[in-house]
Amino acid sequence: MRHRVDGRKFSRTTEQRWALYRNLVSDLIRYEKIVTTEAKAKEVRSLAEKMITLGKEGSLASRRRALEFITDKKLVEKLFNELAPRFKERPGGYTRIIKLRRRVGDGAPLVQLEMVE
């Protein structure tokens, strides 16, 4: 039984799964919208919102915590200088999931994960 077990494994090892999460969050910050499967979007949404919250704090410690997860310095700059001020008045809910279609190959539901506003 998997009572109270959260998170999805995606048939990957822990290192592969965290690399996937980092790449998806980085692409979301870079392009401000990505198309992926519904399950991946639901997992990545909370991580992306935590990164934006770190950006809103704006301290050196929060910048270093963001750099641990997002290893590209330019993306962290964009997060702290462009995205965080945009969501300054918003208490949460920085992303939105829009259902698109089913993927042709395996029928997986595809969604668009995008920044609000």
Side-chain angles (χ1 to χ4, degrees), residues 18-64:
W18 279 105
L20 171 75
Y21 294 158
R22 284 187 176 115
N23 287 329
L24 286 173
V25 170
S26 297
D27 284 344
L28 181 62
I29 292 170
R30 181 178 291 121
Y31 302 114
E32 297 188 17
K33 69 170 101 172
I34 57 173
V35 175
T36 184
T37 63
E38 186 176 13
K40 289 176 186 172
K42 286 182 177 181
E43 287 293 314
V44 167
R45 175 176 48 186
S46 66
L47 296 170
E49 297 206 0
K50 286 176 187 173
M51 291 297 114
I52 294 171
T53 303
L54 285 176
K56 284 172 64 175
E57 289 175 16
S59 67
L60 178 62
S62 60
R63 188 175 293 263
R64 287 176 176 166

